[in-house]
Amino acid sequence: MPQKTKLLDLWFSENLSDGEIYKYLITKTRVQKETKKHTLYLTEFENRGVGYILDNKLKFTASDEFMFYEPLIHVPFIQSQQVKNVLIIGFGCGASIRECLKWKDIEKITVLEEDKEFYLTNAEYLADIHQNTYMNKKVDIIFLNLEEYLKKFKNKYDLIILDINCAFLNIEDNSLLDKDFFSNCYSLLKKDGNLSFYISELHIDKDEVLRKKIKILKSIFKEVILYTSWIPSICKNLTFILLSKNSKGKKYTIEEISKFIKTKNIGKLYFINEHSFIGLMNPPIYLQKYDLAS
């Protein structure tokens, strides 16, 4: 976590890999909070503005969070073109709600967050990010985990978004994103539903843990799509995964994508348009090869 390196200077440092450390000079700490499940710091950096540090990892800064949330949210909206009801697992910083509400056809957003104190902290201190969209009448916040929710509700969704810190690529951590978890998510989706989440940065060399986990995902979902977005503040090319229940081979022309965005999106976008969407759906070779996972 933040550590003093010289008098009156406070630095946040994070190991990117063996032999690589990323450091930011902190000019102000707005919030320091520990909840039941999370440690949260909201800071101001010398060169990046407000930084969001979750569980000792810099997730993003206010200057580039759109490079994370627009690919996470808008890619499945465009790919499906019929999203009306969304389930968001994890409140996060509230930006997932903000982005979902940019679509004209959205009818209902249900958010599952099991850490109420975490939600209250982010709701109070991250208004610049979520813009109070969690208070929209279309949004329902439920303080349950997925298993508890499944016992009480039988709703079906067009899209599920995972806005949670996870160890998807940690073979030793199967506490959340395991086969049962994704099977439960599958059961909550409508017949053409999608699920979107992010993992971490992938190396060019094929990751055997990811290959095995993609094999599990392909045993549940009809289509698995990988795409990436570079996030400058964390110096990583994050990988996102889009799971489709029944959309194998769905392709759109650039004109169709442009028309859909112009007629259905009512919010300002900074990252996604028809051109960037096509680019995301045509990832580099080292991601394409995971299509061969079996």
Side-chain angles (χ1 to χ4, degrees), residues 167-218:
F168 185 73
L169 295 182
N170 184 352
I171 194 94
E172 297 176 353
D173 186 350
N174 291 315
S175 59
L176 178 60
L177 300 188
D178 57 11
K179 185 172 184 178
D180 289 341
F181 176 86
F182 284 105
S183 296
N184 286 335
C185 288
Y186 183 93
S187 71
L188 287 170
L189 288 170
K190 296 180 182 179
K191 66 175 183 177
D192 294 318
N194 295 298
L195 186 154
S196 176
F197 67 106
Y198 75 98
I199 47 176
S200 182
E201 185 175 48
L202 293 181
H203 297 290
I204 293 177
D205 294 332
K206 198 163 187 177
D207 189 305
E208 286 303 308
V209 175
L210 179 60
R211 186 190 67 80
K212 292 176 181 178
K213 294 206 170 185
I214 286 181
K215 182 178 179 180
I216 292 173
L217 295 177
K218 285 191 170 184

Short mmCIF file of all heavy atoms in Angstrom, two decimals, residues 167-218:
data_model
loop_
_atom_site.label_atom_id
_atom_site.label_comp_id
_atom_site.label_asym_id
_atom_site.label_seq_id
_atom_site.Cartn_x
_atom_site.Cartn_y
_atom_site.Cartn_z
N ALA A 167 -10.07 -13.44 -8.89
CA ALA A 167 -8.81 -14.11 -9.18
C ALA A 167 -9.05 -15.20 -10.21
O ALA A 167 -8.75 -16.36 -9.99
CB ALA A 167 -8.21 -14.68 -7.90
N PHE A 168 -9.63 -14.81 -11.33
CA PHE A 168 -10.02 -15.78 -12.35
C PHE A 168 -8.83 -16.59 -12.85
O PHE A 168 -8.96 -17.77 -13.20
CB PHE A 168 -10.67 -15.04 -13.53
CG PHE A 168 -11.22 -15.95 -14.60
CD1 PHE A 168 -12.38 -16.68 -14.38
CD2 PHE A 168 -10.58 -16.09 -15.82
CE1 PHE A 168 -12.89 -17.51 -15.36
CE2 PHE A 168 -11.08 -16.91 -16.81
CZ PHE A 168 -12.25 -17.63 -16.58
N LEU A 169 -7.65 -15.98 -12.90
CA LEU A 169 -6.48 -16.68 -13.42
C LEU A 169 -5.62 -17.30 -12.32
O LEU A 169 -4.53 -17.80 -12.59
CB LEU A 169 -5.62 -15.72 -14.25
CG LEU A 169 -6.28 -15.20 -15.53
CD1 LEU A 169 -5.33 -14.30 -16.30
CD2 LEU A 169 -6.72 -16.37 -16.41
N ASN A 170 -6.11 -17.28 -11.09
CA ASN A 170 -5.40 -17.93 -9.99
C ASN A 170 -5.98 -19.33 -9.81
O ASN A 170 -7.08 -19.50 -9.31
CB ASN A 170 -5.55 -17.11 -8.71
CG ASN A 170 -4.75 -17.69 -7.56
OD1 ASN A 170 -4.21 -18.79 -7.66
ND2 ASN A 170 -4.68 -16.94 -6.46
N ILE A 171 -5.24 -20.33 -10.23
CA ILE A 171 -5.72 -21.71 -10.22
C ILE A 171 -6.04 -22.17 -8.79
O ILE A 171 -6.85 -23.07 -8.57
CB ILE A 171 -4.68 -22.66 -10.84
CG1 ILE A 171 -5.30 -24.01 -11.15
CG2 ILE A 171 -3.47 -22.83 -9.97
CD1 ILE A 171 -5.82 -24.20 -12.49
N GLU A 172 -5.41 -21.51 -7.78
CA GLU A 172 -5.62 -21.93 -6.40
C GLU A 172 -6.84 -21.26 -5.78
O GLU A 172 -7.26 -21.62 -4.68
CB GLU A 172 -4.36 -21.60 -5.58
CG GLU A 172 -3.13 -22.36 -6.04
CD GLU A 172 -1.89 -21.94 -5.28
OE1 GLU A 172 -1.98 -20.97 -4.50
OE2 GLU A 172 -0.84 -22.58 -5.45
N ASP A 173 -7.40 -20.25 -6.47
CA ASP A 173 -8.54 -19.52 -5.92
C ASP A 173 -9.78 -19.85 -6.72
O ASP A 173 -10.04 -19.28 -7.75
CB ASP A 173 -8.26 -18.02 -5.94
CG ASP A 173 -9.36 -17.22 -5.24
OD1 ASP A 173 -10.41 -17.82 -4.92
OD2 ASP A 173 -9.17 -16.03 -5.03
N ASN A 174 -10.56 -20.79 -6.23
CA ASN A 174 -11.81 -21.17 -6.89
C ASN A 174 -13.01 -20.80 -6.03
O ASN A 174 -14.07 -21.41 -6.12
CB ASN A 174 -11.81 -22.67 -7.19
CG ASN A 174 -10.80 -23.04 -8.27
OD1 ASN A 174 -10.71 -22.36 -9.28
ND2 ASN A 174 -10.03 -24.07 -8.02
N SER A 175 -12.81 -19.81 -5.17
CA SER A 175 -13.85 -19.46 -4.21
C SER A 175 -15.04 -18.76 -4.86
O SER A 175 -16.11 -18.73 -4.29
CB SER A 175 -13.26 -18.55 -3.13
OG SER A 175 -12.72 -17.37 -3.71
N LEU A 176 -14.86 -18.21 -6.05
CA LEU A 176 -15.96 -17.48 -6.67
C LEU A 176 -16.19 -17.91 -8.11
O LEU A 176 -17.21 -18.52 -8.43
CB LEU A 176 -15.71 -15.97 -6.61
CG LEU A 176 -16.79 -15.11 -7.27
CD1 LEU A 176 -18.13 -15.35 -6.59
CD2 LEU A 176 -16.41 -13.64 -7.20
N LEU A 177 -15.25 -17.61 -8.98
CA LEU A 177 -15.49 -17.82 -10.41
C LEU A 177 -15.14 -19.25 -10.82
O LEU A 177 -14.20 -19.49 -11.56
CB LEU A 177 -14.68 -16.80 -11.22
CG LEU A 177 -15.02 -15.34 -10.95
CD1 LEU A 177 -14.31 -14.43 -11.94
CD2 LEU A 177 -16.51 -15.09 -11.00
N ASP A 178 -15.93 -20.18 -10.34
CA ASP A 178 -15.75 -21.57 -10.71
C ASP A 178 -16.90 -22.02 -11.62
O ASP A 178 -17.75 -21.22 -12.00
CB ASP A 178 -15.64 -22.46 -9.47
CG ASP A 178 -16.87 -22.34 -8.55
OD1 ASP A 178 -17.88 -21.74 -8.98
OD2 ASP A 178 -16.81 -22.84 -7.42
N LYS A 179 -16.92 -23.30 -11.95
CA LYS A 179 -17.93 -23.80 -12.87
C LYS A 179 -19.34 -23.62 -12.32
O LYS A 179 -20.27 -23.27 -13.06
CB LYS A 179 -17.67 -25.27 -13.19
CG LYS A 179 -18.61 -25.83 -14.25
CD LYS A 179 -18.20 -27.24 -14.68
CE LYS A 179 -19.12 -27.73 -15.80
NZ LYS A 179 -18.70 -29.08 -16.28
N ASP A 180 -19.52 -23.85 -11.02
CA ASP A 180 -20.85 -23.68 -10.42
C ASP A 180 -21.33 -22.24 -10.52
O ASP A 180 -22.51 -21.98 -10.79
CB ASP A 180 -20.83 -24.12 -8.96
CG ASP A 180 -20.71 -25.62 -8.80
OD1 ASP A 180 -20.99 -26.35 -9.78
OD2 ASP A 180 -20.31 -26.08 -7.71
N PHE A 181 -20.41 -21.30 -10.31
CA PHE A 181 -20.76 -19.89 -10.39
C PHE A 181 -21.27 -19.55 -11.79
O PHE A 181 -22.33 -18.92 -11.95
CB PHE A 181 -19.56 -19.01 -10.04
CG PHE A 181 -19.81 -17.54 -10.19
CD1 PHE A 181 -20.38 -16.81 -9.17
CD2 PHE A 181 -19.47 -16.88 -11.37
CE1 PHE A 181 -20.61 -15.45 -9.30
CE2 PHE A 181 -19.71 -15.53 -11.52
CZ PHE A 181 -20.28 -14.81 -10.48
N PHE A 182 -20.54 -19.95 -12.82
CA PHE A 182 -20.94 -19.62 -14.18
C PHE A 182 -22.19 -20.40 -14.60
O PHE A 182 -22.99 -19.90 -15.39
CB PHE A 182 -19.78 -19.87 -15.15
CG PHE A 182 -18.72 -18.80 -15.08
CD1 PHE A 182 -17.52 -19.04 -14.45
CD2 PHE A 182 -18.95 -17.55 -15.62
CE1 PHE A 182 -16.54 -18.06 -14.37
CE2 PHE A 182 -17.99 -16.55 -15.54
CZ PHE A 182 -16.78 -16.81 -14.91
N SER A 183 -22.35 -21.58 -14.08
CA SER A 183 -23.59 -22.33 -14.36
C SER A 183 -24.79 -21.62 -13.76
O SER A 183 -25.87 -21.55 -14.37
CB SER A 183 -23.48 -23.75 -13.80
OG SER A 183 -22.47 -24.48 -14.46
N ASN A 184 -24.61 -21.06 -12.57
CA ASN A 184 -25.68 -20.28 -11.95
C ASN A 184 -26.00 -19.03 -12.76
O ASN A 184 -27.18 -18.68 -12.95
CB ASN A 184 -25.30 -19.89 -10.52
CG ASN A 184 -25.37 -21.05 -9.55
OD1 ASN A 184 -26.11 -22.01 -9.76
ND2 ASN A 184 -24.60 -20.98 -8.48
N CYS A 185 -24.97 -18.37 -13.24
CA CYS A 185 -25.18 -17.20 -14.10
C CYS A 185 -25.92 -17.59 -15.37
O CYS A 185 -26.84 -16.89 -15.81
CB CYS A 185 -23.83 -16.56 -14.46
SG CYS A 185 -23.03 -15.70 -13.10
N TYR A 186 -25.53 -18.70 -15.96
CA TYR A 186 -26.18 -19.20 -17.18
C TYR A 186 -27.68 -19.39 -16.94
O TYR A 186 -28.51 -19.03 -17.79
CB TYR A 186 -25.53 -20.51 -17.59
CG TYR A 186 -26.04 -21.11 -18.88
CD1 TYR A 186 -25.41 -20.82 -20.09
CD2 TYR A 186 -27.14 -21.96 -18.89
CE1 TYR A 186 -25.88 -21.38 -21.28
CE2 TYR A 186 -27.61 -22.51 -20.07
CZ TYR A 186 -26.97 -22.22 -21.26
OH TYR A 186 -27.44 -22.77 -22.44
N SER A 187 -28.02 -19.92 -15.77
CA SER A 187 -29.44 -20.18 -15.47
C SER A 187 -30.25 -18.90 -15.33
O SER A 187 -31.48 -18.92 -15.47
CB SER A 187 -29.55 -21.01 -14.19
OG SER A 187 -29.20 -20.24 -13.05
N LEU A 188 -29.58 -17.79 -15.07
CA LEU A 188 -30.27 -16.51 -14.90
C LEU A 188 -30.43 -15.74 -16.22
O LEU A 188 -31.11 -14.72 -16.26
CB LEU A 188 -29.50 -15.62 -13.92
CG LEU A 188 -29.59 -16.02 -12.45
CD1 LEU A 188 -28.59 -15.22 -11.63
CD2 LEU A 188 -30.99 -15.82 -11.91
N LEU A 189 -29.81 -16.23 -17.27
CA LEU A 189 -29.87 -15.54 -18.55
C LEU A 189 -31.05 -16.02 -19.40
O LEU A 189 -31.40 -17.20 -19.39
CB LEU A 189 -28.57 -15.76 -19.34
CG LEU A 189 -27.33 -15.04 -18.82
CD1 LEU A 189 -26.09 -15.54 -19.55
CD2 LEU A 189 -27.46 -13.53 -18.96
N LYS A 190 -31.61 -15.10 -20.16
CA LYS A 190 -32.60 -15.47 -21.17
C LYS A 190 -31.91 -16.23 -22.29
O LYS A 190 -30.68 -16.32 -22.34
CB LYS A 190 -33.30 -14.22 -21.70
CG LYS A 190 -34.11 -13.48 -20.63
CD LYS A 190 -34.77 -12.23 -21.21
CE LYS A 190 -35.55 -11.48 -20.13
NZ LYS A 190 -36.18 -10.24 -20.67
N LYS A 191 -32.66 -16.77 -23.23
CA LYS A 191 -32.09 -17.69 -24.22
C LYS A 191 -31.01 -17.05 -25.09
O LYS A 191 -30.12 -17.74 -25.58
CB LYS A 191 -33.19 -18.27 -25.10
CG LYS A 191 -33.90 -17.25 -25.98
CD LYS A 191 -34.90 -17.95 -26.90
CE LYS A 191 -35.57 -16.95 -27.85
NZ LYS A 191 -36.49 -17.64 -28.79
N ASP A 192 -31.05 -15.73 -25.29
CA ASP A 192 -30.03 -15.04 -26.06
C ASP A 192 -29.16 -14.15 -25.19
O ASP A 192 -28.55 -13.19 -25.67
CB ASP A 192 -30.68 -14.19 -27.17
CG ASP A 192 -31.37 -15.04 -28.22
OD1 ASP A 192 -30.79 -16.07 -28.61
OD2 ASP A 192 -32.49 -14.70 -28.62
N GLY A 193 -29.07 -14.48 -23.90
CA GLY A 193 -28.37 -13.62 -22.96
C GLY A 193 -26.86 -13.70 -23.06
O GLY A 193 -26.28 -14.64 -23.60
N ASN A 194 -26.20 -12.67 -22.50
CA ASN A 194 -24.75 -12.57 -22.48
C ASN A 194 -24.24 -12.28 -21.08
O ASN A 194 -24.99 -11.75 -20.23
CB ASN A 194 -24.27 -11.46 -23.42
CG ASN A 194 -24.58 -11.73 -24.87
OD1 ASN A 194 -24.10 -12.70 -25.44
ND2 ASN A 194 -25.41 -10.88 -25.48
N LEU A 195 -22.98 -12.58 -20.85
CA LEU A 195 -22.31 -12.27 -19.60
C LEU A 195 -20.97 -11.63 -19.93
O LEU A 195 -20.22 -12.14 -20.77
CB LEU A 195 -22.12 -13.54 -18.76
CG LEU A 195 -21.55 -13.38 -17.35
CD1 LEU A 195 -22.01 -14.53 -16.46
CD2 LEU A 195 -20.02 -13.31 -17.33
N SER A 196 -20.65 -10.53 -19.25
CA SER A 196 -19.41 -9.80 -19.53
C SER A 196 -18.63 -9.60 -18.23
O SER A 196 -19.21 -9.24 -17.21
CB SER A 196 -19.74 -8.43 -20.16
OG SER A 196 -18.56 -7.67 -20.36
N PHE A 197 -17.31 -9.83 -18.29
CA PHE A 197 -16.46 -9.58 -17.13
C PHE A 197 -15.03 -9.37 -17.60
O PHE A 197 -14.70 -9.57 -18.78
CB PHE A 197 -16.56 -10.71 -16.11
CG PHE A 197 -15.99 -12.04 -16.56
CD1 PHE A 197 -14.78 -12.50 -16.07
CD2 PHE A 197 -16.69 -12.85 -17.44
CE1 PHE A 197 -14.27 -13.74 -16.45
CE2 PHE A 197 -16.19 -14.09 -17.83
CZ PHE A 197 -14.98 -14.53 -17.34
N TYR A 198 -14.19 -8.93 -16.70
CA TYR A 198 -12.78 -8.71 -17.04
C TYR A 198 -11.92 -9.65 -16.20
O TYR A 198 -12.32 -10.11 -15.13
CB TYR A 198 -12.37 -7.25 -16.79
CG TYR A 198 -12.19 -6.89 -15.34
CD1 TYR A 198 -10.93 -6.88 -14.76
CD2 TYR A 198 -13.28 -6.59 -14.53
CE1 TYR A 198 -10.75 -6.56 -13.42
CE2 TYR A 198 -13.12 -6.27 -13.19
CZ TYR A 198 -11.85 -6.26 -12.65
OH TYR A 198 -11.69 -5.95 -11.32
N ILE A 199 -10.74 -9.92 -16.73
CA ILE A 199 -9.81 -10.72 -15.93
C ILE A 199 -8.57 -9.86 -15.65
O ILE A 199 -8.64 -8.90 -14.91
CB ILE A 199 -9.49 -12.07 -16.61
CG1 ILE A 199 -9.15 -11.94 -18.10
CG2 ILE A 199 -10.65 -13.00 -16.44
CD1 ILE A 199 -8.74 -13.24 -18.75
N SER A 200 -7.47 -10.16 -16.26
CA SER A 200 -6.26 -9.40 -16.02
C SER A 200 -5.53 -9.26 -17.35
O SER A 200 -6.08 -9.54 -18.42
CB SER A 200 -5.39 -10.12 -14.99
OG SER A 200 -4.22 -9.38 -14.71
N GLU A 201 -4.31 -8.84 -17.28
CA GLU A 201 -3.50 -8.77 -18.49
C GLU A 201 -2.96 -10.15 -18.82
O GLU A 201 -2.52 -10.89 -17.94
CB GLU A 201 -2.34 -7.80 -18.28
CG GLU A 201 -1.51 -7.56 -19.51
CD GLU A 201 -0.45 -6.50 -19.28
OE1 GLU A 201 0.24 -6.59 -18.25
OE2 GLU A 201 -0.31 -5.60 -20.12
N LEU A 202 -3.02 -10.51 -20.10
CA LEU A 202 -2.48 -11.80 -20.55
C LEU A 202 -1.14 -11.60 -21.23
O LEU A 202 -0.94 -10.64 -21.97
CB LEU A 202 -3.45 -12.47 -21.53
CG LEU A 202 -4.79 -12.92 -20.96
CD1 LEU A 202 -5.61 -13.57 -22.05
CD2 LEU A 202 -4.59 -13.89 -19.80
N HIS A 203 -0.25 -12.53 -20.99
CA HIS A 203 1.03 -12.49 -21.67
C HIS A 203 0.90 -13.12 -23.05
O HIS A 203 -0.05 -13.85 -23.35
CB HIS A 203 2.09 -13.23 -20.84
CG HIS A 203 2.35 -12.59 -19.51
ND1 HIS A 203 2.97 -11.38 -19.37
CD2 HIS A 203 2.03 -13.00 -18.25
CE1 HIS A 203 3.06 -11.07 -18.09
NE2 HIS A 203 2.49 -12.04 -17.39
N ILE A 204 1.86 -12.81 -23.90
CA ILE A 204 1.83 -13.33 -25.26
C ILE A 204 1.89 -14.85 -25.27
O ILE A 204 1.23 -15.52 -26.07
CB ILE A 204 2.97 -12.72 -26.10
CG1 ILE A 204 2.71 -11.22 -26.30
CG2 ILE A 204 3.08 -13.42 -27.45
CD1 ILE A 204 3.80 -10.50 -27.04
N ASP A 205 2.71 -15.41 -24.36
CA ASP A 205 2.77 -16.87 -24.26
C ASP A 205 1.44 -17.40 -23.74
O ASP A 205 0.84 -16.83 -22.84
CB ASP A 205 3.89 -17.30 -23.32
CG ASP A 205 5.27 -16.93 -23.85
OD1 ASP A 205 5.40 -16.86 -25.09
OD2 ASP A 205 6.17 -16.68 -23.05
N LYS A 206 1.00 -18.49 -24.30
CA LYS A 206 -0.31 -19.02 -23.95
C LYS A 206 -0.38 -19.38 -22.47
O LYS A 206 0.50 -20.04 -21.92
CB LYS A 206 -0.62 -20.26 -24.80
CG LYS A 206 -2.09 -20.62 -24.84
CD LYS A 206 -2.39 -21.57 -25.99
CE LYS A 206 -3.88 -21.80 -26.13
NZ LYS A 206 -4.21 -22.66 -27.28
N ASP A 207 -1.44 -18.93 -21.83
CA ASP A 207 -1.65 -19.13 -20.41
C ASP A 207 -2.44 -20.42 -20.21
O ASP A 207 -3.60 -20.51 -20.59
CB ASP A 207 -2.41 -17.94 -19.82
CG ASP A 207 -2.47 -17.98 -18.30
OD1 ASP A 207 -2.93 -19.00 -17.76
OD2 ASP A 207 -2.08 -16.99 -17.68
N GLU A 208 -1.82 -21.42 -19.60
CA GLU A 208 -2.47 -22.72 -19.44
C GLU A 208 -3.65 -22.67 -18.48
O GLU A 208 -4.63 -23.40 -18.64
CB GLU A 208 -1.46 -23.76 -18.98
CG GLU A 208 -0.50 -24.19 -20.08
CD GLU A 208 -1.25 -24.75 -21.29
OE1 GLU A 208 -2.08 -25.66 -21.11
OE2 GLU A 208 -1.00 -24.27 -22.40
N VAL A 209 -3.56 -21.79 -17.47
CA VAL A 209 -4.69 -21.65 -16.54
C VAL A 209 -5.90 -21.11 -17.28
O VAL A 209 -7.02 -21.62 -17.15
CB VAL A 209 -4.31 -20.73 -15.36
CG1 VAL A 209 -5.53 -20.49 -14.47
CG2 VAL A 209 -3.18 -21.34 -14.55
N LEU A 210 -5.68 -20.07 -18.10
CA LEU A 210 -6.79 -19.51 -18.86
C LEU A 210 -7.32 -20.53 -19.86
O LEU A 210 -8.54 -20.63 -20.06
CB LEU A 210 -6.35 -18.24 -19.60
CG LEU A 210 -7.43 -17.58 -20.46
CD1 LEU A 210 -8.62 -17.17 -19.60
CD2 LEU A 210 -6.88 -16.39 -21.21
N ARG A 211 -6.45 -21.28 -20.49
CA ARG A 211 -6.91 -22.28 -21.46
C ARG A 211 -7.85 -23.29 -20.80
O ARG A 211 -8.90 -23.64 -21.34
CB ARG A 211 -5.70 -23.01 -22.07
CG ARG A 211 -6.08 -23.97 -23.19
CD ARG A 211 -4.91 -24.84 -23.60
NE ARG A 211 -4.55 -25.76 -22.53
CZ ARG A 211 -5.18 -26.90 -22.27
NH1 ARG A 211 -6.23 -27.26 -23.00
NH2 ARG A 211 -4.79 -27.69 -21.30
N LYS A 212 -7.49 -23.72 -19.59
CA LYS A 212 -8.33 -24.68 -18.87
C LYS A 212 -9.66 -24.05 -18.47
O LYS A 212 -10.70 -24.71 -18.52
CB LYS A 212 -7.58 -25.20 -17.64
CG LYS A 212 -6.37 -26.07 -17.97
CD LYS A 212 -5.61 -26.47 -16.72
CE LYS A 212 -4.39 -27.31 -17.07
NZ LYS A 212 -3.60 -27.66 -15.86
N LYS A 213 -9.60 -22.79 -18.07
CA LYS A 213 -10.84 -22.14 -17.64
C LYS A 213 -11.74 -21.82 -18.83
O LYS A 213 -12.97 -21.86 -18.70
CB LYS A 213 -10.51 -20.89 -16.82
CG LYS A 213 -9.82 -21.24 -15.51
CD LYS A 213 -10.03 -20.20 -14.42
CE LYS A 213 -9.53 -20.72 -13.09
NZ LYS A 213 -9.81 -19.81 -11.97
N ILE A 214 -11.15 -21.49 -19.98
CA ILE A 214 -11.96 -21.28 -21.18
C ILE A 214 -12.64 -22.58 -21.59
O ILE A 214 -13.79 -22.59 -22.05
CB ILE A 214 -11.10 -20.72 -22.32
CG1 ILE A 214 -10.78 -19.26 -22.05
CG2 ILE A 214 -11.82 -20.84 -23.67
CD1 ILE A 214 -9.97 -18.59 -23.11
N LYS A 215 -11.96 -23.69 -21.39
CA LYS A 215 -12.56 -24.99 -21.67
C LYS A 215 -13.81 -25.18 -20.82
O LYS A 215 -14.85 -25.67 -21.30
CB LYS A 215 -11.55 -26.10 -21.40
CG LYS A 215 -12.07 -27.50 -21.70
CD LYS A 215 -10.99 -28.55 -21.44
CE LYS A 215 -11.52 -29.94 -21.73
NZ LYS A 215 -10.49 -30.98 -21.47
N ILE A 216 -13.74 -24.76 -19.54
CA ILE A 216 -14.91 -24.85 -18.66
C ILE A 216 -16.02 -23.94 -19.16
O ILE A 216 -17.19 -24.33 -19.24
CB ILE A 216 -14.52 -24.49 -17.21
CG1 ILE A 216 -13.58 -25.55 -16.64
CG2 ILE A 216 -15.76 -24.35 -16.34
CD1 ILE A 216 -13.01 -25.20 -15.28
N LEU A 217 -15.66 -22.70 -19.53
CA LEU A 217 -16.66 -21.75 -20.02
C LEU A 217 -17.33 -22.26 -21.28
O LEU A 217 -18.55 -22.10 -21.47
CB LEU A 217 -16.01 -20.39 -20.27
CG LEU A 217 -15.46 -19.67 -19.05
CD1 LEU A 217 -14.79 -18.36 -19.47
CD2 LEU A 217 -16.54 -19.41 -18.02
N LYS A 218 -16.56 -22.89 -22.17
CA LYS A 218 -17.12 -23.40 -23.42
C LYS A 218 -18.02 -24.62 -23.19
O LYS A 218 -18.84 -24.94 -24.05
CB LYS A 218 -15.99 -23.74 -24.40
CG LYS A 218 -15.35 -22.51 -25.03
CD LYS A 218 -14.44 -22.88 -26.18
CE LYS A 218 -14.01 -21.65 -26.94
NZ LYS A 218 -13.20 -21.98 -28.13
#
